[in-house]
Amino acid sequence: GQQLNQSPQSMFIQEGEDVSMNCTSSSIFNTWLWYKQDPGEGPVLLIALYKAGELTSNGRLTAQFGITRKDSFLNISASIPSDVGIYFCAGQPGGADGLTFGKGTHLIIQP
Amino acid sequence: EAQVTQNPRYLITVTGKKLTVTCSQNMNHEYMSWYRQDPGLGLRQIYYSMNVEVTDKGDVPEGYKVSRKEKRNFPLILESPSPNQTSLYFCASSWTGGNGYTFGSGTRLTVV
């Protein structure tokens, strides 16, 4: 199947810092999604992107759908302790296709 | 409350003993899917279903079966579990193939 390269694999940051993570693919996606997973729970959708070049915010989170349709990034501004968790990108080639997930970015925040 | 319900949350079983993990959604979603999550490998799709009686293989279908006799239910069946199927399993559903999956809380399976 298709693969997404998500980086970094993990991040150790101080509370209040900004965070940036990204995903790249060798093939085109028509939808990019970003999820967050808290310990012991299933992933929860944060932001969905449907158009190349689209920039979307959800509170302190901002994500962009790359112009080439082969990449996406997620930024978190002014991190707080509850931002801790695993963040996954996911791409969908077409409307009837399933999602392909990146391997996740593990965010750890030091107070 | 709109949700995807998986049962059981935790399961320890022995090699070769058939088991079923149930998944049910109350949102009338057409699309349902099973994923397994392993350290360092992320979420990998096992099987998915576009609608009732329509199922298809994902990226790692070997050793698993599914059925979709009703819209709301999508059970995952392991006919003869093996230790390499020890994993965290998630069921998910959505209106279409990708927009806004809703995930269940997961089933942690250990096969000894």
Side-chain angles (χ1 to χ4, degrees), chain B residues 68-88:
Chain B
R68 188 89 182 274
K69 293 188 170 59
E70 307 163 281
K71 200 172 190 179
R72 63 182 292 126
N73 295 324
F74 190 45
L76 179 69
I77 303 154
L78 284 71
E79 295 271 3
S80 182
S82 61
N84 64 11
Q85 292 178 298
T86 292
S87 187
L88 179 59

Side-chain angles (χ1 to χ4, degrees), chain B residues 40-85:
Chain B
L41 297 177
L43 289 154
R44 294 180 293 167
Q45 190 177 49
I46 302 170
Y47 268 95
Y48 64 95
S49 170
M50 303 282 286
N51 214 323
V52 175
E53 301 292 2
V54 180
T55 63
D56 213 340
K57 296 177 181 178
D59 296 321
V60 288
E62 293 77 21
Y64 304 95
K65 281 173 56 177
V66 292
S67 70
R68 188 89 182 274
K69 293 188 170 59
E70 307 163 281
K71 200 172 190 179
R72 63 182 292 126
N73 295 324
F74 190 45
L76 179 69
I77 303 154
L78 284 71
E79 295 271 3
S80 182
S82 61
N84 64 11
Q85 292 178 298

Side-chain angles (χ1 to χ4, degrees), chain A residues 36-44, chain B residues 1-10 21-25 27 33-35 37 43 87-93 101-109:
Chain A
K36 183 193 177 202
Q37 184 180 26
D38 290 323
E41 298 297 329
V44 173
Chain B
E1 181 191 348
Q3 59 185 3
V4 177
T5 303
Q6 292 178 231
N7 278 298
R9 287 292 306 268
Y10 302 91
V21 184
T22 64
C23 174
S24 180
Q25 50 93 4
M27 296 164 282
S33 181
W34 277 102
Y35 287 84
Q37 184 177 19
L43 289 154
S87 187
L88 179 59
Y89 291 87
F90 287 102
C91 180
S93 73
Y101 274 18
T102 299
F103 280 85
S105 296
T107 295
R108 186 167 290 282
L109 172 66

Side-chain angles (χ1 to χ4, degrees), chain A residues 20-79:
Chain A
S20 186
M21 61 191 78
N22 69 84
C23 267
T24 60
S25 169
S26 57
S27 54
I28 288 171
F29 287 108
N30 286 325
T31 301
W32 281 96
L33 304 165
W34 285 92
Y35 285 83
K36 183 193 177 202
Q37 184 180 26
D38 290 323
E41 298 297 329
V44 173
L45 182 66
L46 298 174
I47 292 179
L49 302 159
Y50 303 110
K51 213 161 108 173
E54 181 181 353
L55 185 72
T56 297
S57 293
N58 177 6
R60 293 178 295 106
L61 278 60
T62 302
Q64 183 157 31
F65 191 142
I67 290 288
T68 64
R69 295 198 280 158
K70 292 183 179 181
D71 63 323
S72 177
F73 71 75
L74 175 71
N75 287 341
I76 305 172
S77 62
S79 58

